mmCIF file of all heavy atoms in Angstrom:
data_model
loop_
_atom_site.group_PDB
_atom_site.id
_atom_site.type_symbol
_atom_site.label_atom_id
_atom_site.label_comp_id
_atom_site.label_asym_id
_atom_site.label_seq_id
_atom_site.Cartn_x
_atom_site.Cartn_y
_atom_site.Cartn_z
ATOM 1 N N ILE Y 911 42.724 9.166 -22.938
ATOM 2 C CA ILE Y 911 41.750 10.228 -23.187
ATOM 3 C C ILE Y 911 40.352 9.620 -23.140
ATOM 4 O O ILE Y 911 40.025 8.733 -23.947
ATOM 5 C CB ILE Y 911 41.999 10.885 -24.554
ATOM 6 C CG1 ILE Y 911 43.438 11.410 -24.638
ATOM 7 C CG2 ILE Y 911 40.998 12.011 -24.810
ATOM 8 C CD1 ILE Y 911 43.887 11.792 -26.027
ATOM 9 N N ASN Y 912 39.552 10.082 -22.181
ATOM 10 C CA ASN Y 912 38.177 9.596 -22.068
ATOM 11 C C ASN Y 912 37.262 10.767 -21.764
ATOM 12 O O ASN Y 912 37.662 11.930 -21.906
ATOM 13 C CB ASN Y 912 38.068 8.490 -21.014
ATOM 14 C CG ASN Y 912 38.549 8.948 -19.630
ATOM 15 O OD1 ASN Y 912 38.560 10.143 -19.329
ATOM 16 N ND2 ASN Y 912 38.946 7.992 -18.803
ATOM 17 N N THR Y 913 36.038 10.488 -21.362
ATOM 18 C CA THR Y 913 35.065 11.560 -21.137
ATOM 19 C C THR Y 913 35.457 12.460 -19.963
ATOM 20 O O THR Y 913 34.925 13.559 -19.830
ATOM 21 C CB THR Y 913 33.677 10.969 -20.877
ATOM 22 O OG1 THR Y 913 33.752 10.050 -19.766
ATOM 23 C CG2 THR Y 913 33.181 10.218 -22.103
ATOM 24 N N GLN Y 914 36.382 12.004 -19.119
ATOM 25 C CA GLN Y 914 36.822 12.794 -17.964
ATOM 26 C C GLN Y 914 37.994 13.704 -18.285
ATOM 27 O O GLN Y 914 38.401 14.500 -17.476
ATOM 28 C CB GLN Y 914 37.198 11.857 -16.803
ATOM 29 C CG GLN Y 914 36.116 10.868 -16.417
ATOM 30 C CD GLN Y 914 34.813 11.530 -16.046
ATOM 31 O OE1 GLN Y 914 34.820 12.497 -15.281
ATOM 32 N NE2 GLN Y 914 33.709 11.042 -16.586
ATOM 33 N N GLY Y 915 38.577 13.546 -19.496
ATOM 34 C CA GLY Y 915 39.729 14.355 -19.865
ATOM 35 C C GLY Y 915 40.921 13.489 -20.208
ATOM 36 O O GLY Y 915 40.768 12.325 -20.630
ATOM 37 N N THR Y 916 42.119 14.010 -20.013
ATOM 38 C CA THR Y 916 43.370 13.309 -20.337
ATOM 39 C C THR Y 916 44.156 13.024 -19.069
ATOM 40 O O THR Y 916 44.315 13.896 -18.224
ATOM 41 C CB THR Y 916 44.237 14.145 -21.310
ATOM 42 O OG1 THR Y 916 43.486 14.429 -22.484
ATOM 43 C CG2 THR Y 916 45.504 13.390 -21.687
ATOM 44 N N ILE Y 917 44.619 11.790 -18.956
ATOM 45 C CA ILE Y 917 45.468 11.398 -17.833
ATOM 46 C C ILE Y 917 46.768 10.840 -18.406
ATOM 47 O O ILE Y 917 46.731 9.965 -19.282
ATOM 48 C CB ILE Y 917 44.789 10.335 -16.936
ATOM 49 C CG1 ILE Y 917 43.530 10.941 -16.288
ATOM 50 C CG2 ILE Y 917 45.747 9.812 -15.865
ATOM 51 C CD1 ILE Y 917 42.739 9.931 -15.473
ATOM 52 N N GLU Y 918 47.904 11.352 -17.937
ATOM 53 C CA GLU Y 918 49.218 10.868 -18.385
ATOM 54 C C GLU Y 918 50.008 10.338 -17.192
ATOM 55 O O GLU Y 918 49.899 10.860 -16.078
ATOM 56 C CB GLU Y 918 50.001 11.984 -19.066
ATOM 57 C CG GLU Y 918 49.436 12.409 -20.410
ATOM 58 C CD GLU Y 918 50.352 13.396 -21.119
ATOM 59 O OE1 GLU Y 918 50.984 14.231 -20.425
ATOM 60 O OE2 GLU Y 918 50.451 13.330 -22.373
ATOM 61 N N PHE Y 919 50.812 9.317 -17.451
ATOM 62 C CA PHE Y 919 51.683 8.794 -16.400
ATOM 63 C C PHE Y 919 52.825 8.009 -17.038
ATOM 64 O O PHE Y 919 52.759 7.628 -18.208
ATOM 65 C CB PHE Y 919 50.912 7.905 -15.424
ATOM 66 C CG PHE Y 919 50.094 6.809 -16.059
ATOM 67 C CD1 PHE Y 919 50.662 5.575 -16.364
ATOM 68 C CD2 PHE Y 919 48.756 7.006 -16.343
ATOM 69 C CE1 PHE Y 919 49.910 4.560 -16.938
ATOM 70 C CE2 PHE Y 919 47.980 5.994 -16.919
ATOM 71 C CZ PHE Y 919 48.567 4.765 -17.214
ATOM 72 N N ASP Y 920 53.879 7.774 -16.245
ATOM 73 C CA ASP Y 920 55.049 7.033 -16.706
ATOM 74 C C ASP Y 920 54.924 5.579 -16.285
ATOM 75 O O ASP Y 920 54.353 5.268 -15.235
ATOM 76 C CB ASP Y 920 56.328 7.636 -16.131
ATOM 77 C CG ASP Y 920 56.565 9.067 -16.623
ATOM 78 O OD1 ASP Y 920 56.206 9.354 -17.771
ATOM 79 O OD2 ASP Y 920 57.093 9.869 -15.817
ATOM 80 N N ILE Y 921 55.483 4.686 -17.101
ATOM 81 C CA ILE Y 921 55.501 3.261 -16.769
ATOM 82 C C ILE Y 921 56.922 2.741 -16.855
ATOM 83 O O ILE Y 921 57.733 3.201 -17.669
ATOM 84 C CB ILE Y 921 54.562 2.439 -17.677
ATOM 85 C CG1 ILE Y 921 54.899 2.669 -19.159
ATOM 86 C CG2 ILE Y 921 53.105 2.767 -17.393
ATOM 87 C CD1 ILE Y 921 54.119 1.759 -20.110
ATOM 88 N N HIS Y 922 57.216 1.763 -15.985
ATOM 89 C CA HIS Y 922 58.549 1.156 -15.931
ATOM 90 C C HIS Y 922 58.373 -0.364 -15.811
ATOM 91 O O HIS Y 922 57.251 -0.871 -15.708
ATOM 92 C CB HIS Y 922 59.339 1.708 -14.749
ATOM 93 C CG HIS Y 922 59.510 3.202 -14.802
ATOM 94 N ND1 HIS Y 922 58.574 4.078 -14.281
ATOM 95 C CD2 HIS Y 922 60.515 3.976 -15.315
ATOM 96 C CE1 HIS Y 922 58.978 5.312 -14.491
ATOM 97 N NE2 HIS Y 922 60.162 5.291 -15.101
ATOM 98 N N VAL Y 923 59.493 -1.078 -15.783
ATOM 99 C CA VAL Y 923 59.470 -2.542 -15.724
ATOM 100 C C VAL Y 923 58.630 -3.024 -14.541
ATOM 101 O O VAL Y 923 58.808 -2.550 -13.412
ATOM 102 C CB VAL Y 923 60.901 -3.103 -15.633
ATOM 103 C CG1 VAL Y 923 60.867 -4.613 -15.411
ATOM 104 C CG2 VAL Y 923 61.688 -2.780 -16.913
ATOM 105 N N GLY Y 924 57.722 -3.935 -14.802
ATOM 106 C CA GLY Y 924 56.878 -4.502 -13.762
ATOM 107 C C GLY Y 924 55.552 -3.803 -13.578
ATOM 108 O O GLY Y 924 54.663 -4.321 -12.880
ATOM 109 N N ASP Y 925 55.383 -2.617 -14.182
ATOM 110 C CA ASP Y 925 54.108 -1.918 -14.047
ATOM 111 C C ASP Y 925 53.032 -2.567 -14.896
ATOM 112 O O ASP Y 925 53.307 -3.169 -15.936
ATOM 113 C CB ASP Y 925 54.259 -0.443 -14.458
ATOM 114 C CG ASP Y 925 54.977 0.386 -13.403
ATOM 115 O OD1 ASP Y 925 55.021 -0.067 -12.246
ATOM 116 O OD2 ASP Y 925 55.473 1.480 -13.735
ATOM 117 N N VAL Y 926 51.791 -2.400 -14.460
ATOM 118 C CA VAL Y 926 50.617 -2.947 -15.157
ATOM 119 C C VAL Y 926 49.713 -1.795 -15.559
ATOM 120 O O VAL Y 926 49.459 -0.879 -14.748
ATOM 121 C CB VAL Y 926 49.851 -3.939 -14.275
ATOM 122 C CG1 VAL Y 926 48.608 -4.460 -14.980
ATOM 123 C CG2 VAL Y 926 50.754 -5.101 -13.872
ATOM 124 N N MET Y 927 49.211 -1.814 -16.782
ATOM 125 C CA MET Y 927 48.301 -0.782 -17.286
ATOM 126 C C MET Y 927 46.948 -1.399 -17.584
ATOM 127 O O MET Y 927 46.837 -2.582 -17.910
ATOM 128 C CB MET Y 927 48.850 -0.172 -18.575
ATOM 129 C CG MET Y 927 50.260 0.349 -18.514
ATOM 130 S SD MET Y 927 50.951 0.463 -20.189
ATOM 131 C CE MET Y 927 51.090 -1.261 -20.639
ATOM 132 N N PHE Y 928 45.911 -0.550 -17.532
ATOM 133 C CA PHE Y 928 44.564 -0.982 -17.898
ATOM 134 C C PHE Y 928 43.893 0.115 -18.712
ATOM 135 O O PHE Y 928 43.858 1.262 -18.297
ATOM 136 C CB PHE Y 928 43.741 -1.283 -16.644
ATOM 137 C CG PHE Y 928 42.277 -1.500 -16.902
ATOM 138 C CD1 PHE Y 928 41.867 -2.522 -17.768
ATOM 139 C CD2 PHE Y 928 41.318 -0.704 -16.297
ATOM 140 C CE1 PHE Y 928 40.526 -2.727 -18.014
ATOM 141 C CE2 PHE Y 928 39.969 -0.908 -16.539
ATOM 142 C CZ PHE Y 928 39.562 -1.930 -17.394
ATOM 143 N N PHE Y 929 43.381 -0.266 -19.897
ATOM 144 C CA PHE Y 929 42.678 0.675 -20.773
ATOM 145 C C PHE Y 929 41.265 0.133 -21.022
ATOM 146 O O PHE Y 929 41.096 -0.861 -21.741
ATOM 147 C CB PHE Y 929 43.399 0.839 -22.093
ATOM 148 C CG PHE Y 929 44.858 1.215 -21.976
ATOM 149 C CD1 PHE Y 929 45.836 0.451 -22.580
ATOM 150 C CD2 PHE Y 929 45.236 2.340 -21.250
ATOM 151 C CE1 PHE Y 929 47.181 0.787 -22.470
ATOM 152 C CE2 PHE Y 929 46.579 2.683 -21.119
ATOM 153 C CZ PHE Y 929 47.548 1.901 -21.741
ATOM 154 N N PRO Y 930 40.241 0.772 -20.442
ATOM 155 C CA PRO Y 930 38.865 0.302 -20.670
ATOM 156 C C PRO Y 930 38.465 0.421 -22.147
ATOM 157 O O PRO Y 930 38.988 1.261 -22.880
ATOM 158 C CB PRO Y 930 38.020 1.221 -19.788
ATOM 159 C CG PRO Y 930 38.971 1.755 -18.763
ATOM 160 C CD PRO Y 930 40.272 1.870 -19.471
ATOM 161 N N ILE Y 931 37.536 -0.401 -22.550
ATOM 162 C CA ILE Y 931 37.058 -0.418 -23.923
ATOM 163 C C ILE Y 931 36.601 0.977 -24.354
ATOM 164 O O ILE Y 931 35.952 1.685 -23.593
ATOM 165 C CB ILE Y 931 35.900 -1.461 -24.064
ATOM 166 C CG1 ILE Y 931 35.485 -1.628 -25.518
ATOM 167 C CG2 ILE Y 931 34.725 -1.078 -23.183
ATOM 168 C CD1 ILE Y 931 34.512 -2.771 -25.724
ATOM 169 N N GLY Y 932 37.009 1.386 -25.543
ATOM 170 C CA GLY Y 932 36.590 2.676 -26.081
ATOM 171 C C GLY Y 932 37.431 3.855 -25.650
ATOM 172 O O GLY Y 932 37.330 4.941 -26.232
ATOM 173 N N ASN Y 933 38.285 3.690 -24.631
ATOM 174 C CA ASN Y 933 39.131 4.792 -24.169
ATOM 175 C C ASN Y 933 40.338 4.936 -25.099
ATOM 176 O O ASN Y 933 41.116 3.987 -25.268
ATOM 177 C CB ASN Y 933 39.622 4.533 -22.745
ATOM 178 C CG ASN Y 933 38.572 4.816 -21.681
ATOM 179 O OD1 ASN Y 933 38.882 5.361 -20.642
ATOM 180 N ND2 ASN Y 933 37.321 4.445 -21.945
ATOM 181 N N GLN Y 934 40.503 6.098 -25.681
ATOM 182 C CA GLN Y 934 41.664 6.314 -26.555
ATOM 183 C C GLN Y 934 42.929 6.405 -25.696
ATOM 184 O O GLN Y 934 42.928 7.029 -24.626
ATOM 185 C CB GLN Y 934 41.498 7.593 -27.365
ATOM 186 C CG GLN Y 934 42.663 7.866 -28.299
ATOM 187 C CD GLN Y 934 42.359 8.898 -29.342
ATOM 188 O OE1 GLN Y 934 41.660 8.646 -30.320
ATOM 189 N NE2 GLN Y 934 42.874 10.099 -29.144
ATOM 190 N N HIS Y 935 43.999 5.781 -26.172
ATOM 191 C CA HIS Y 935 45.233 5.778 -25.405
ATOM 192 C C HIS Y 935 46.439 5.701 -26.333
ATOM 193 O O HIS Y 935 46.308 5.292 -27.492
ATOM 194 C CB HIS Y 935 45.266 4.595 -24.413
ATOM 195 C CG HIS Y 935 45.001 3.263 -25.040
ATOM 196 N ND1 HIS Y 935 43.730 2.817 -25.373
ATOM 197 C CD2 HIS Y 935 45.826 2.253 -25.403
ATOM 198 C CE1 HIS Y 935 43.783 1.627 -25.894
ATOM 199 N NE2 HIS Y 935 45.056 1.256 -25.936
ATOM 200 N N TYR Y 936 47.576 6.123 -25.830
ATOM 201 C CA TYR Y 936 48.820 6.066 -26.594
ATOM 202 C C TYR Y 936 49.952 5.690 -25.676
ATOM 203 O O TYR Y 936 49.883 5.832 -24.435
ATOM 204 C CB TYR Y 936 49.111 7.386 -27.300
ATOM 205 C CG TYR Y 936 49.233 8.582 -26.399
ATOM 206 C CD1 TYR Y 936 50.442 8.880 -25.761
ATOM 207 C CD2 TYR Y 936 48.158 9.401 -26.154
ATOM 208 C CE1 TYR Y 936 50.561 9.974 -24.924
ATOM 209 C CE2 TYR Y 936 48.252 10.508 -25.317
ATOM 210 C CZ TYR Y 936 49.457 10.790 -24.702
ATOM 211 O OH TYR Y 936 49.558 11.860 -23.861
ATOM 212 N N ILE Y 937 51.054 5.190 -26.258
ATOM 213 C CA ILE Y 937 52.233 4.775 -25.500
ATOM 214 C C ILE Y 937 53.472 5.259 -26.247
ATOM 215 O O ILE Y 937 53.680 4.882 -27.404
ATOM 216 C CB ILE Y 937 52.283 3.236 -25.334
ATOM 217 C CG1 ILE Y 937 50.992 2.730 -24.696
ATOM 218 C CG2 ILE Y 937 53.485 2.832 -24.493
ATOM 219 C CD1 ILE Y 937 50.871 1.205 -24.708
ATOM 220 N N LYS Y 938 54.285 6.063 -25.599
ATOM 221 C CA LYS Y 938 55.494 6.605 -26.225
ATOM 222 C C LYS Y 938 56.719 6.084 -25.482
ATOM 223 O O LYS Y 938 56.897 6.335 -24.290
ATOM 224 C CB LYS Y 938 55.474 8.126 -26.202
ATOM 225 C CG LYS Y 938 56.681 8.760 -26.892
ATOM 226 C CD LYS Y 938 56.619 10.275 -26.835
ATOM 227 C CE LYS Y 938 57.830 10.905 -27.520
ATOM 228 N NZ LYS Y 938 59.112 10.519 -26.883
ATOM 229 N N SER Y 939 57.595 5.385 -26.189
ATOM 230 C CA SER Y 939 58.818 4.854 -25.602
ATOM 231 C C SER Y 939 59.713 6.012 -25.148
ATOM 232 O O SER Y 939 59.910 6.984 -25.879
ATOM 233 C CB SER Y 939 59.566 3.985 -26.621
ATOM 234 O OG SER Y 939 60.767 3.491 -26.061
ATOM 235 N N ALA Y 940 60.253 5.893 -23.924
ATOM 236 C CA ALA Y 940 61.007 7.016 -23.353
ATOM 237 C C ALA Y 940 62.404 6.613 -22.875
ATOM 238 O O ALA Y 940 63.086 7.407 -22.235
ATOM 239 C CB ALA Y 940 60.218 7.619 -22.191
ATOM 240 N N CYS Y 941 62.849 5.381 -23.176
ATOM 241 C CA CYS Y 941 64.183 4.924 -22.742
ATOM 242 C C CYS Y 941 65.065 4.659 -23.947
ATOM 243 O O CYS Y 941 64.595 4.546 -25.086
ATOM 244 C CB CYS Y 941 64.063 3.646 -21.914
ATOM 245 S SG CYS Y 941 63.371 3.915 -20.281
ATOM 246 N N ASP Y 942 66.347 4.515 -23.703
ATOM 247 C CA ASP Y 942 67.279 4.194 -24.780
ATOM 248 C C ASP Y 942 67.024 2.801 -25.342
ATOM 249 O O ASP Y 942 67.162 2.566 -26.533
ATOM 250 C CB ASP Y 942 68.727 4.290 -24.285
ATOM 251 C CG ASP Y 942 69.138 5.729 -23.962
ATOM 252 O OD1 ASP Y 942 68.516 6.648 -24.514
ATOM 253 O OD2 ASP Y 942 70.054 5.906 -23.146
ATOM 254 N N GLU Y 943 66.634 1.871 -24.457
ATOM 255 C CA GLU Y 943 66.351 0.515 -24.914
ATOM 256 C C GLU Y 943 64.906 0.417 -25.433
ATOM 257 O O GLU Y 943 64.070 1.276 -25.152
ATOM 258 C CB GLU Y 943 66.546 -0.490 -23.766
ATOM 259 C CG GLU Y 943 65.591 -0.280 -22.603
ATOM 260 C CD GLU Y 943 65.753 -1.352 -21.528
ATOM 261 O OE1 GLU Y 943 65.960 -2.529 -21.873
ATOM 262 O OE2 GLU Y 943 65.647 -0.996 -20.342
ATOM 263 N N ASP Y 944 64.636 -0.638 -26.185
ATOM 264 C CA ASP Y 944 63.285 -0.854 -26.691
ATOM 265 C C ASP Y 944 62.317 -1.065 -25.529
ATOM 266 O O ASP Y 944 62.673 -1.643 -24.502
ATOM 267 C CB ASP Y 944 63.251 -2.091 -27.601
ATOM 268 C CG ASP Y 944 63.953 -1.882 -28.920
ATOM 269 O OD1 ASP Y 944 64.388 -0.745 -29.184
ATOM 270 O OD2 ASP Y 944 64.104 -2.871 -29.670
#
Side-chain angles (χ1 to χ4, degrees):
I911 304 167
N912 57 23
T913 56
Q914 306 303 313
T916 302
I917 296 176
E918 290 187 325
F919 52 86
D920 296 326
I921 55 173
H922 302 87
V923 173
D925 284 341
V926 178
M927 307 159 291
F928 170 59
F929 307 125
I931 187 171
N933 282 220
Q934 180 165 284
H935 52 281
Y936 59 85
I937 305 171
K938 182 181 180 299
S939 179
C941 288
D942 292 336
E943 64 176 321
D944 290 354

